[in-house]
């Protein structure tokens, strides 16, 4: 018993690592190496990159876990301003791939600034709201919406509809957690719904409209816009209870399934590991989400509670959007499966958020504003 307590103290008090959060993250990342090996067609280069990304991700997580919450508050505005500059650079000189201009080419790697924007919005909105009273006034709510909308418009122009939705959701989640009234929530949601026609006619590209139009009936364009969804459904459905086995998925190994090591990697899991494999992944996700909410509830300062709660809600929403996308209940918007899909920017930012959450938990007595 004493040994258990001692080990907990080493991880918690010295390394500032929360083991209950750390272990399921580690399990999912180890599993992601195996499934990426299969989904990438056993590409040595992709696996090497994936392992490097995971190692860097853990280093970032551990480093950020050491930073006291007060420092996150101090640098929230600087982080937000840097992200805005990066977004402007992307829209001017960014790397273009498949019609989208989302990346900055740094030589050794291509970085997607829109991924870190979500984290910066969490910090800046929590920082700003924490400077006033709770629940926030209508003026503060409007300023938070403005802080969220400006980067979201830049991301929409790249175009990246999925990240735009997540970016807007980040600010809304923080507002929701800050205790605003249901009446105000309904008003904000009504305003957003009323803006949908404007986005549809003036901001959305024709291919995005087609993807939404064929959502419920992809068979009307089986070799075009409906191809991804049809192949994904076949892959998941053919997996059955226990799947076809690792490296034995026909849809993935014979390359019928597009983007199989990135956005559609969940379909590979369903095909090769079946319902049982998917259930195990869901259990690990659930442990992370529940632990995140437990930490958010027990953080003794509002800034930490908003950042932690907002991070976990965005984590959940990303999972929901990816799985909804590959199973055909949501439009294809280019959304990675957290911790599993191949993609350096999304993984590193996600690990940074986990490091921040661990910091909020392990430094919870070093407070800036007590509840």
């Amino acid at each position: 018993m004493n040994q258990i307590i001692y080990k907990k103290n080493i991880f918690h008090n010295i390394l500032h690592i929360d083991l209950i959060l750390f272990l399921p993250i580690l399990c999912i990342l180890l599993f992601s190496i195996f499934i990426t090996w299969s989904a990438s067609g056993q590409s040595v280069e992709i696996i090497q990159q994936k392992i490097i990304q995971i190692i860097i991700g853990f280093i970032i997580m551990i480093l950020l876990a050491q930073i006291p919450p007060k420092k996150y508050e101090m640098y929230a505005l600087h982080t937000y301003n840097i992200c805005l500059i990066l977004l402007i650079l992307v829209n001017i000189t960014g790397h273009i791939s498949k019609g989208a201009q989302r990346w900055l080419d740094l030589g050794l790697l291509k970085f997607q600034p829109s991924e870190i924007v979500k984290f910066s919005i969490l910090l800046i909105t929590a920082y700003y709201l924490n400077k006033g009273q709770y629940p926030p006034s209508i003026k503060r709510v409007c300023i938070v919406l403005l802080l969220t909308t400006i980067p979201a418009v830049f991301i929409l122009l790249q175009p990246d509809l999925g990240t735009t939705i997540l970016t807007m959701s980040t600010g809304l989640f923080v507002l929701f957690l800050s205790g605003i009234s249901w009446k105000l929530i309904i008003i904000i949601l009504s305003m957003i719904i009323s803006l949908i026609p404007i986005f549809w006619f003036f901001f959305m590209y024709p291919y995005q409209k087609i993807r939404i139009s064929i959502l419920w009936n992809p068979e009307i364009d089986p070799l075009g816009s409906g191809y991804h969804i049809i192949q994904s459904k076949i892959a998941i459905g053919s997996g059955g209870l226990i799947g076809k086995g690792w490296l034995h998925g026909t849809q993935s190994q014979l390359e019928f399934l597009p983007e199989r090591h990135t956005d559609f990697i969940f379909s590979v899991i369903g095909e090769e590991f079946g319902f049982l494999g998917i259930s195990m992944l869901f259990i690990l996700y659930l442990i992370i989400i529940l632990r995140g909410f437990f930490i958010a509830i027990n953080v003794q300062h509002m800034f930490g509670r908003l950042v932690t709660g907002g991070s976990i809600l965005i984590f959940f929403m990303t999972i929901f959007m990816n799985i909804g996308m590959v199973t055909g209940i949501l439009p294809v918007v280019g959304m990675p499966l957290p911790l599993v899909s191949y993609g350096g920017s999304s993984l590193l930012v996600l690990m940074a958020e986990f490091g921040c959450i661990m910091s909020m938990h392990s430094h919870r007595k070093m407070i800036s504003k007590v509840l």
Side-chain angles (χ1 to χ4, degrees):
M1 184 66 183
N2 290 335
Q3 283 186 333
I4 294 175
I5 294 173
Y6 178 68
K7 288 178 181 176
K8 180 180 177 181
N9 287 340
I10 289 177
F11 282 100
H12 184 272
N13 296 340
I14 298 177
L15 297 177
H16 300 285
I17 297 298
D18 183 74
L19 279 180
I20 301 175
L21 194 59
F22 176 83
L23 291 177
I25 292 172
L26 177 64
C27 291
I28 294 177
L29 288 175
L30 291 176
F31 172 69
S32 75
I33 295 174
F34 287 96
I35 198 66
T36 302
W37 175 253
S38 175
S40 65
Q42 302 170 41
S43 168
V44 174
E45 182 182 357
I46 288 178
I47 287 300
Q48 286 176 339
Q49 290 293 323
K50 178 79 177 177
I51 293 173
I52 292 172
Q53 290 166 5
I54 290 174
I55 293 172
I56 295 174
F58 273 119
I59 292 173
I60 291 175
M61 184 185 75
I62 293 171
L63 288 177
L64 291 186
Q66 315 308 310
I67 300 174
K70 189 67 180 176
K71 296 289 184 184
Y72 285 102
E73 283 190 89
M74 287 174 59
Y75 294 107
L77 182 59
H78 301 295
T79 307
Y80 180 78
N81 289 333
I82 290 171
C83 285
L84 282 183
I85 294 171
L86 291 175
L87 284 178
I88 293 171
L89 285 175
V90 168
N91 283 275
I92 295 174
T93 64
H95 174 77
I96 299 175
S97 177
K98 299 179 181 179
Q101 190 170 357
R102 303 173 184 171
W103 299 269
L104 286 177
D105 193 345
L106 303 179
L108 294 176
L109 58 90
K110 293 181 178 63
F111 177 67
Q112 189 173 349
S114 59
E115 289 291 342
I116 199 172
V117 166
K118 290 174 289 182
F119 186 45
S120 74
I121 288 179
L122 275 173
L123 296 179
I124 189 66
T125 52
Y127 163 76
Y128 183 73
L129 290 173
N130 203 40
K131 292 174 71 69
Q133 300 295 319
Y134 293 99
S137 63
I138 292 179
K139 178 185 175 184
R140 288 191 174 274
V141 169
C142 291
I143 292 175
V144 166
L145 290 176
L146 183 64
L147 290 169
T148 306
T149 303
I150 292 172
V153 171
F154 281 115
I155 297 170
L156 187 63
L157 293 174
Q158 291 180 358
D160 188 347
L161 182 59
T163 308
T164 303
I165 294 172
L166 283 180
T167 302
M168 289 300 300
S169 301
T170 303
L172 296 177
F173 285 150
V174 173
L175 279 176
F176 172 74
L177 294 170
S178 69
I180 63 173
S181 66
W182 281 104
K183 181 180 177 181
L184 201 50
I185 292 174
I186 292 172
I187 292 173
I188 293 172
L189 291 177
S190 300
M191 288 171 56
I192 293 173
I193 292 172
S194 67
L195 291 174
I196 289 177
I198 297 175
F199 279 102
W200 179 272
F201 288 109
F202 298 104
F203 288 95
M204 292 186 69
Y205 287 77
Y207 76 90
Q208 293 172 325
K209 295 178 181 178
I210 292 173
R211 285 177 177 178
I212 295 174
S213 300
I214 68 165
L215 175 62
W216 304 111
N217 191 15
E219 287 77 13
I220 62 174
D221 190 12
L223 299 178
S225 300
Y227 182 80
H228 290 58
I229 297 301
I230 292 172
Q231 296 301 322
S232 178
K233 287 181 176 179
I234 292 173
I236 296 172
S238 63
L241 179 63
I242 60 174
K244 296 174 181 174
W246 186 48
L247 301 176
H248 290 89
T250 51
Q251 295 301 112
S252 54
Q253 301 303 318
L254 298 178
E255 302 185 3
F256 288 108
L257 189 64
E259 309 293 342
R260 55 194 177 279
H261 67 287
T262 54
D263 295 346
F264 281 80
I265 200 165
F266 182 81
S267 309
V268 182
I269 298 171
E271 184 179 31
E272 298 193 349
F273 293 94
F275 176 76
L276 290 179
I278 290 173
S279 298
M280 289 301 298
L281 180 63
F282 281 168
I283 289 172
L284 292 171
Y285 277 144
L286 185 61
I287 294 172
I288 294 172
I289 291 169
L290 291 178
R291 183 60 179 173
F293 282 131
F294 175 84
I295 291 174
I297 291 171
N298 287 280
V299 170
Q300 297 173 356
H301 48 101
M302 199 62 184
F303 175 79
R305 180 171 292 185
L306 294 179
V307 171
T308 304
S311 297
I312 292 300
L313 285 173
I314 287 298
F315 179 69
F316 168 77
M317 188 170 177
T318 309
I319 296 169
F320 175 77
M321 287 180 65
N322 177 271
I323 296 176
M325 181 182 77
V326 301
T327 54
I329 62 173
L330 292 175
V332 177
V333 292
M335 184 64 58
L337 184 63
L339 299 174
V340 182
S341 290
Y342 177 80
S345 301
S346 61
L347 177 62
L348 298 185
V349 173
L350 189 55
M351 295 298 280
E353 291 180 0
F354 285 129
C356 181
I357 291 172
M358 291 179 184
S359 166
M360 300 298 170
H361 182 54
S362 61
H363 296 89
R364 60 185 181 275
K365 292 184 179 179
M366 300 170 63
I367 55 176
S368 62
K369 177 174 272 192
V370 181
L371 289 174

